[in-house]
Amino acid sequence: MPPLDEFGRIRAWTEGRQSKKWMVEAGVTLGIGDDAAVVAGGTSATEWLLAMDTMVEEVHFLDATMSESDVGYKALAANISDIAAMGGTPKFALVSVSVPPAWNAERMKLLFDGLYECADKYQVAVIGGDTTSAPSHLVVAVTLMGFVEAGKAVRRDGARPGQSVFLTGPTGLSAGGLHGLLNNIGSIPARLAQAHQRPSPSVKAGRLLLETGWAASLNDVSDGVASEAWEIAEASGVRLLLKETLLPISGELASYALEHGIQPLDLVLYGGEDYVLLGTVDKQHEHSMKDRFRREGIPLFIIGEVEAGEPGVAIQSASGKVKPMDKRGYNHFSKG
Amino acid sequence: MPPLDEFGRIRAWTEGRQSKKWMVEAGVTLGIGDDAAVVAGGTSATEWLLAMDTMVEEVHFLDATMSESDVGYKALAANISDIAAMGGTPKFALVSVSVPPAWNAERMKLLFDGLYECADKYQVAVIGGDTTSAPSHLVVAVTLMGFVEAGKAVRRDGARPGQSVFLTGPTGLSAGGLHGLLNNIGSIPARLAQAHQRPSPSVKAGRLLLETGWAASLNDVSDGVASEAWEIAEASGVRLLLKETLLPISGELASYALEHGIQPLDLVLYGGEDYVLLGTVDKQHEHSMKDRFRREGIPLFIIGEVEAGEPGVAIQSASGKVKPMDKRGYNHFSKG
């Protein structure tokens, strides 16, 4: 066991990070330091959203790809993205860390620096924690509670034939950044590295989609466009047809891919952790949606349509040829 | 990565385990399978309790000490105990598993068998999950939500000089069981092995203590009596004096310890994971409390008293000699 006991460690990493006054205003009756945290019960007009997402060293990150504070930041950001994908507002987080000997107190402090930076940015109160030792590789599990108007959470099973498929930002940037970091390429565009290390969950877009009621189905792109589209297709019992010419590819990614001999489309479709939102919308709302997103400064791309048929996902190339799209998701360090 | 994708695996381990009808009645709007689970918002008369507790292979369990289903059972039971220690009722669980190659689909199914056995016993709805691969050693992190009457959660900072210290059951049984399992002793009394592998969180005792208002402070004995007493002492700013002659030692533990040359007091004070409750009560309530606990069939032992003074814990031997008690907690596989 590391020298500090469990509470000593959790205290050293969390104490005084968020003011008591702010916590009380956020609905926290009792935070870190007892058997359980206590939070306000809510009202019958709201429902609670609960997400839990875990990052494992050697599976999701390496020393070469993420700093300690990046790991903490992203562990929370990935959970915020899950709440955003339901149209909710993130609220309370609990953090469990399993700490191997290589992660000393100084490194863990940096991890929590990053986690609290993200928490403060998205107004999330960190209310609980658990820390254990581990034989090797760090594991960070985060649970996040968010709230949503009762009955309004945007699910992934609402896609219907005739709807359009949309994306709230370009994808593949995180995978591009990872490629550069793994291959020790010094000149990675900052936007790619940042997309991988400090992703921005789409809370604003999610709230807008819930409030307007425009999103019939919604997922966050944590595991790649292909995988998320498949999830919507299977949950909704429909076929999604994506159009290659409509897929947004950022300039930075395009130049980086060209320079390093990568197919950008691979990153755009199969790269994960961009944390933009993928969803479907009734055609009648498309115009108002584009207009409103432009005014709010949130990107919006229509990238395909929903068809009846065997659940699945296909992609149409510029030449009009349609081929089925693999279900496979994002695998950080695969050699395949 | 294991052959099944994340959702495939989670589905295989969780689908159909709890009926949809029961989930809806329990307040679950949307369970496993979307970005986040959705649960009822509650009322202003209740508060939510949130606990998160993690079990790590090689730190908390080995093949020799716990079966797969024991691991699943205990991972949830430990969290239920945290909710019990606040006087709450457990309600919704989320489970994150980081799965190394040695834990194949069959072993994981057994783990979830045990987890659901515990969930059903305590009426907990499993509403979310996350699964990742891992290079080695299994990690199971559980988050549990429970509810409590607003403003009533029993904290650890309410101990005051003049109160009595109580325990809702004997301790050291789990550590005794672990000793036998680790040393490959075939004749461990079933009660000791079961205390270690299938512990019983004290939900009924916790609810009774909350409803009667008798517990001024409360902890569950997850990390050993010494450690929990220290936590109450430090949180409350008081000194706890335990009396050796008042500490309950079960007959099974006493004979086992005698047979194997162990000091039972070491297990009773420094063995963890018995999940009984340790708390303090105003002397005026002691009589009614004993009476009520006897009628409910819950053990109750008064084991010491609260004094003013520098926060800490001391123990008085049968001869009247008082010595300070170490703060150290439970270390499963230490050689020290």
Side-chain angles (χ1 to χ4, degrees):
Chain A
M1 294 283 254
L4 279 173
D5 64 9
E6 173 174 339
F7 283 96
R9 284 182 282 159
I10 271 284
R11 204 175 289 140
W13 301 330
T14 61
E15 208 164 53
R17 298 273 196 160
Q18 295 179 315
S19 82
K20 190 153 183 145
K21 180 169 175 290
W22 182 77
M23 295 285 262
V24 168
E25 285 164 6
V28 181
T29 305
L30 183 63
I32 294 169
D34 213 304
D35 297 296
V38 185
V39 300
T43 72
S44 57
T46 57
E47 286 179 312
W48 286 108
L49 300 169
L50 282 134
M52 188 172 195
D53 209 63
T54 304
M55 279 176 68
V56 179
E57 192 172 11
E58 295 177 45
V59 175
H60 301 100
F61 61 92
L62 304 170
D63 284 354
T65 64
M66 308 261 290
S67 74
E68 290 83 356
S69 68
D70 291 338
V71 172
Y73 192 99
K74 189 167 175 175
L76 181 54
N79 279 276
I80 293 176
S81 180
D82 282 325
I83 298 299
M86 306 297 287
T89 303
K91 188 84 178 160
F92 304 121
L94 295 97
V95 185
S96 159
V97 285
S98 304
V99 185
W103 283 72
N104 59 21
E106 174 57 24
R107 295 187 71 191
M108 289 306 298
K109 189 198 156 287
L110 293 171
L111 185 147
F112 277 88
D113 284 350
L115 186 121
Y116 276 99
E117 192 182 330
C118 185
D120 292 345
K121 185 163 177 181
Y122 292 92
Q123 299 285 292
V124 168
V126 180
I127 59 168
D130 177 43
T131 171
T132 62
S133 55
S136 62
H137 71 265
L138 186 82
V139 176
V140 188
V142 174
T143 299
L144 185 63
M145 279 178 84
F147 60 90
V148 74
E149 293 76 358
K152 293 274 186 86
V154 190
R155 301 157 62 143
R156 60 176 60 136
D157 59 5
R160 298 291 174 264
Q163 292 173 347
S164 296
V165 181
F166 67 83
L167 203 52
T168 66
T171 60
L173 283 83
S174 172
L178 178 60
H179 178 276
L181 293 161
L182 274 178
N183 292 287
N184 200 20
I185 293 167
S187 59
I188 323 164
R191 192 174 168 204
L192 301 194
Q194 175 135 359
H196 186 71
Q197 297 169 329
R198 296 272 171 147
S200 297
S202 308
V203 177
K204 196 177 160 192
R207 289 300 295 159
L208 183 56
L209 289 167
L210 180 135
E211 284 160 11
T212 55
W214 289 330
S217 66
L218 198 63
N219 252 0
D220 67 317
V221 181
S222 51
D223 214 30
V225 166
S227 175
E228 308 301 339
W230 263 97
E231 278 179 18
I232 288 178
E234 291 191 319
S236 306
V238 296
R239 192 175 110 102
L240 266 58
L241 177 67
L242 308 188
K243 302 196 174 164
E244 204 179 305
T245 52
L246 298 180
L247 290 168
I249 302 185
S250 86
E252 289 96 332
L253 183 66
S255 346
Y256 179 83
L258 185 67
E259 195 177 336
H260 298 281
I262 312 164
Q263 282 298 331
L265 204 62
D266 270 0
L267 303 178
V268 164
L269 293 175
Y270 298 105
E273 302 181 350
D274 287 297
Y275 301 119
V276 295
L277 301 177
L278 174 76
T280 65
V281 55
D282 278 345
K283 280 220 158 54
Q284 58 177 357
H285 298 311
E286 236 186 87
H287 182 76
S288 344
M289 190 175 169
K290 281 180 187 166
D291 189 54
R292 179 69 185 275
F293 270 66
R294 198 180 50 243
R295 278 188 286 125
E296 300 282 349
I298 307 172
L300 184 76
F301 305 94
I302 300 296
I303 62 164
E305 51 204 40
V306 185
E307 298 179 341
E310 192 68 23
V313 183
I315 186 154
Q316 187 174 39
S317 71
S319 67
K321 202 178 153 192
V322 174
K323 54 178 190 182
M325 210 154 82
D326 288 355
K327 201 177 168 179
R328 76 183 150 93
Y330 190 39
N331 196 340
H332 295 66
F333 307 132
S334 73
K335 304 296 169 209
Chain B
M1 294 281 257
L4 281 172
D5 65 8
E6 171 173 342
F7 282 95
R9 285 181 280 159
I10 272 284
R11 205 176 288 141
W13 301 331
T14 60
E15 206 163 55
R17 299 274 195 158
Q18 295 180 316
S19 82
K20 188 148 183 149
K21 179 169 176 289
W22 181 78
M23 295 284 263
V24 168
E25 283 164 8
V28 181
T29 305
L30 183 64
I32 294 170
D34 214 304
D35 297 297
V38 185
V39 301
T43 71
S44 57
T46 57
E47 286 179 314
W48 286 108
L49 300 169
L50 282 133
M52 188 172 195
D53 210 62
T54 304
M55 279 175 68
V56 179
E57 191 171 12
E58 294 177 46
V59 176
H60 301 101
F61 62 92
L62 303 170
D63 283 354
T65 64
M66 308 262 289
S67 73
E68 289 84 355
S69 67
D70 291 339
V71 172
Y73 192 99
K74 190 167 175 174
L76 180 54
N79 278 275
I80 293 176
S81 181
D82 282 325
I83 298 298
M86 307 297 287
T89 303
K91 188 85 178 160
F92 304 121
L94 294 98
V95 185
S96 159
V97 284
S98 304
V99 185
W103 283 72
N104 59 21
E106 175 57 24
R107 296 187 71 192
M108 289 305 299
K109 188 196 157 290
L110 293 171
L111 184 148
F112 276 88
D113 285 348
L115 186 121
Y116 276 99
E117 192 183 331
C118 186
D120 292 344
K121 185 164 179 182
Y122 292 92
Q123 299 284 293
V124 168
V126 180
I127 58 167
D130 176 42
T131 170
T132 61
S133 55
S136 62
H137 71 267
L138 187 82
V139 177
V140 188
V142 174
T143 300
L144 185 63
M145 277 178 85
F147 60 88
V148 74
E149 293 76 357
K152 292 275 184 87
V154 191
R155 302 158 60 143
R156 60 177 58 136
D157 59 4
R160 298 292 175 264
Q163 292 173 347
S164 296
V165 181
F166 68 83
L167 203 53
T168 67
T171 59
L173 283 84
S174 172
L178 178 61
H179 178 275
L181 294 161
L182 274 178
N183 292 286
N184 199 20
I185 292 166
S187 60
I188 322 164
R191 192 176 169 204
L192 300 195
Q194 175 135 2
H196 186 70
Q197 296 169 330
R198 296 272 171 146
S200 299
S202 308
V203 177
K204 195 175 160 191
R207 289 299 296 159
L208 183 56
L209 289 168
L210 179 136
E211 284 159 12
T212 56
W214 289 331
S217 66
L218 197 63
N219 252 359
D220 67 317
V221 181
S222 50
D223 214 32
V225 167
S227 175
E228 308 300 339
W230 262 98
E231 279 179 19
I232 289 177
E234 291 191 321
S236 307
V238 296
R239 191 174 110 103
L240 266 59
L241 179 66
L242 308 187
K243 300 194 175 166
E244 203 179 305
T245 53
L246 299 179
L247 289 168
I249 302 185
S250 85
E252 289 95 331
L253 183 67
S255 344
Y256 179 85
L258 186 65
E259 196 178 332
H260 297 281
I262 312 165
Q263 282 298 330
L265 204 63
D266 269 0
L267 303 179
V268 165
L269 293 175
Y270 297 105
E273 302 180 350
D274 288 296
Y275 301 120
V276 296
L277 302 176
L278 174 77
T280 64
V281 54
D282 276 346
K283 280 220 158 56
Q284 57 177 358
H285 299 310
E286 234 185 270
H287 182 75
S288 346
M289 190 173 169
K290 282 180 185 165
D291 189 54
R292 179 71 185 274
F293 270 66
R294 197 179 51 244
R295 279 188 286 123
E296 300 282 349
I298 307 171
L300 184 75
F301 306 94
I302 300 295
I303 63 164
E305 52 204 39
V306 185
E307 298 179 340
E310 192 68 24
V313 183
I315 186 154
Q316 186 172 41
S317 71
S319 67
K321 201 178 154 193
V322 173
K323 55 177 187 182
M325 210 155 82
D326 287 354
K327 199 178 168 178
R328 74 182 151 94
Y330 190 39
N331 196 340
H332 294 67
F333 308 132
S334 70
K335 305 296 168 207

